[in-house]
Amino acid sequence: MNGAAWENYLIGDEPCTCLRINQCLSNSTSVSLLWQKLPDVGRTLGFEGSNRIVSTVLLGIKSHSGYLEDILKTWRQATTNNATLGNLVTVLRNHHLNECAEALINEFR
């Protein structure tokens, strides 16, 4: 196995459950920036509902964390073994969400 063990954790499996990722990111110091960029992160991960995130959250229909969980689950279903924590960290860094990426690394290291 190449890289650190945490990098190869599959999203949705133990110990890297969607709930645990969601809790970790929701408690991150840059969570407001994550919520602002969530549609872009969703698009990067292939989430078809990304264009509706902002309006739906503003209307109180669904929360940011609810969308984050949907994004993670959809990504895992679409990419199976490519939906790793290491790849998620890379996506977050590419969107300049370095504090969120570091929070995940610290949580699962």
Side-chain angles (χ1 to χ4, degrees):
M1 195 183 282
N2 294 334
W6 66 266
E7 291 176 329
N8 296 308
Y9 291 157
L10 287 174
I11 302 300
D13 289 353
E14 287 290 339
C16 194
T17 63
C18 293
L19 177 62
R20 190 167 168 197
I21 291 171
N22 204 333
Q23 289 172 337
C24 177
L25 293 176
S26 294
N27 292 325
S28 169
T29 57
S30 60
V31 68
S32 60
L33 184 58
L34 171 62
W35 294 155
Q36 180 183 352
K37 293 186 176 195
L38 194 59
D40 295 329
V41 171
R43 276 188 282 281
T44 299
L45 296 177
F47 185 68
E48 291 184 15
S50 293
N51 293 335
R52 295 185 305 271
I53 291 174
V54 173
S55 60
T56 308
V57 168
L58 287 174
L59 292 171
I61 296 171
K62 194 167 199 166
S63 68
H64 285 108
S65 62
Y67 271 113
L68 177 59
E69 188 166 335
D70 289 350
I71 289 166
L72 295 172
K73 288 179 178 178
T74 300
W75 181 47
R76 171 63 191 271
Q77 288 174 340
T79 62
T80 57
N81 291 335
N82 197 37
T84 64
L85 188 58
N87 288 336
L88 179 58
V89 164
T90 299
V91 167
L92 293 172
R93 286 182 175 153
N94 288 343
H95 286 283
H96 306 289
L97 294 164
N98 296 327
E99 290 177 9
C100 291
E102 290 303 314
L104 286 177
I105 292 168
N106 291 333
E107 176 75 14
F108 292 99
R109 186 176 295 165

